[in-house]
Amino acid sequence: MAGKRQSVSCATRAGLALAIAVFVAAGCGSSGPSSGNAPSAGAFPAVAGRSLDQILASDSPDQNLVVAPTGSVYGQGKNRFGFGIFNVDNSPVTDADVALYAQPASGGPTEGPFPASFESLATQKAYEAKSTASDPDAAKGFYVTSVPFNRNGPWNMVAVVREGGKTSSARITTSVIVGKPNNIPKVGQKAPSMHTLTAADVGGNVGQIDTRVPHDDMHAVDLADVLGKQPVVLLFATPALCQSRVCGPVVDVAEQVEHEPSSQGVDFIHQEIYNQNNASKGLRPQVLDYGLRTEPWLFVIDKQGRISTRIEGAFDVAELQAAVKKVAPSS
């Protein structure tokens, strides 16, 4: 956020630039992993006292594989960890068995394996925006697992990838920093109260507060009016301006889940990122109120106004359904 222009990135800029390529080529600390089928941990090599470098060396290091996280905020304890994998020619790796290994950069035992599942960002056709369908760069999926970081500081990570009978290994492109200071509301904390603009506030000109085409209908409620009274799904995303092209698909995901019977009694709010929907105009005050430096971000808030689920980056329909079920009145 240095300088006059305020902007957010999707994960670390270097890491995300790499992750984008996986999603595009494929047609593109919070909750646990999504509902996809992850391989068994027993299908991967045991650590057996080895260092991360030894694991990398023993599992056919592949300089053509690139692995990049899709988030940047991690804390001690169990972390939802999303990432993308692709070849240097930008061809995707979307159907492999994958597990992650992690080791503190300062030294210490290697942890793992942590098997990952591949999650699709597909929605029912009725909820796929024109802006998503027509965007060749729109994300289509991601890998996700849970990683328990037991200390703060930088961690190095390696992925072991099994595809087509071949086993390869690759370093994650950037060192993962655990425990970086931030003021982003955490699970269990009270969600900050703030005003979110509604369609009524802009005289029905929803284009002032929504870059999706067509506009979604998650602009009927002001967060300040319902926080602590109703469960809320609060999604920070900018479909037209998101650098990773993840925002459009996750807004589609939220639009679908909003209309499901199990979501009755839950208010859905889509909050855009930039003033006047223009990146050169700086961040909207709501984004600053939540301390965000990346996007998209999802906060699912219970009736008491406490954050039940917090997700940075991509999420699929099943993961959002599960998060909503935890706070919905019908539950």
Side-chain angles (χ1 to χ4, degrees):
M1 294 247 234
K4 293 183 179 180
R5 174 177 169 177
Q6 294 173 317
S7 64
V8 293
S9 62
C10 297
T12 60
R13 290 184 183 274
L16 185 59
L18 298 174
I20 289 172
V22 133
F23 300 140
V24 171
C28 179
S30 29
S31 58
S34 189
S35 59
N37 295 320
S40 166
F44 295 91
V47 171
R50 293 180 297 168
S51 70
L52 205 64
D53 286 340
Q54 289 171 326
I55 290 173
L56 180 70
S58 64
D59 286 293
S60 303
D62 189 341
Q63 300 298 321
N64 292 317
L65 275 184
V66 181
V67 184
T70 58
S72 63
V73 177
Y74 307 100
Q76 285 194 55
K78 185 177 180 181
N79 286 257
R80 176 187 185 277
F81 196 96
F83 59 99
I85 308 176
F86 63 102
N87 298 298
V88 292
D89 64 0
N90 288 344
S91 60
V93 178
T94 59
D95 59 356
D97 287 343
V98 182
L100 300 184
Y101 297 77
Q103 183 179 31
S106 59
T110 303
E111 306 289 344
F114 306 113
S117 58
F118 185 79
E119 305 299 334
S120 170
L121 286 168
T123 60
Q124 296 173 15
K125 276 295 182 182
Y127 301 105
E128 183 182 39
K130 291 180 181 178
S131 48
T132 302
S134 64
D135 182 359
D137 294 341
K140 294 296 188 290
F142 61 101
Y143 287 92
V144 64
T145 187
S146 290
V147 178
F149 296 113
N150 59 23
R151 69 174 78 169
N152 288 334
W155 285 69
N156 297 322
M157 300 184 71
V158 161
V160 172
V161 180
R162 288 183 169 169
E163 183 183 30
K166 175 186 175 184
T167 299
S168 305
S169 61
R171 289 189 184 277
I172 286 189
T173 52
T174 57
S175 179
V176 171
I177 309 299
V178 176
K180 285 190 296 187
N182 66 78
N183 59 346
I184 301 170
K186 297 178 175 61
V187 170
Q189 293 182 343
K190 284 279 190 179
S193 181
M194 63 182 184
H195 288 287
T196 53
L197 291 177
T198 67
D201 292 326
V202 292
N205 185 6
V206 182
Q208 293 184 23
I209 55 173
D210 185 3
T211 62
R212 185 178 186 263
V213 180
H215 302 310
D216 60 73
D217 61 3
M218 295 182 283
H219 305 285
V221 174
D222 181 350
L223 179 66
D225 291 339
V226 297
L227 187 64
K229 302 174 185 176
Q230 289 273 102
V232 177
V233 171
L234 174 62
L235 175 58
F236 291 86
T238 177
L241 302 172
C242 188
Q243 296 177 48
S244 71
R245 316 315 302 158
V246 167
C247 294
V250 298
V251 173
D252 295 352
V253 165
E255 183 83 345
Q256 174 175 323
V257 175
E258 178 195 19
H259 288 89
E260 295 175 348
S262 59
S263 297
Q264 288 184 3
V266 180
D267 289 319
F268 282 65
I269 298 173
H270 166 206
Q271 173 60 58
E272 281 280 345
I273 301 298
Y274 297 108
N275 289 317
Q276 301 177 37
N277 296 335
N278 186 330
S280 67
K281 301 290 186 181
L283 300 175
R284 290 182 183 264
Q286 293 88 352
V287 178
L288 299 174
D289 286 345
Y290 271 64
L292 305 182
R293 298 295 184 272
T294 61
E295 36 84 22
W297 274 89
L298 174 77
F299 297 88
V300 180
I301 305 166
D302 67 19
K303 188 176 180 179
Q304 288 70 46
R306 293 191 180 277
I307 295 170
S308 173
T309 299
R310 185 186 81 167
I311 296 175
E312 178 188 15
F315 53 88
D316 67 353
V317 167
E319 192 167 14
L320 182 54
Q321 287 171 332
V324 169
K325 183 177 180 180
K326 290 166 59 178
V327 302
S330 60
S331 300

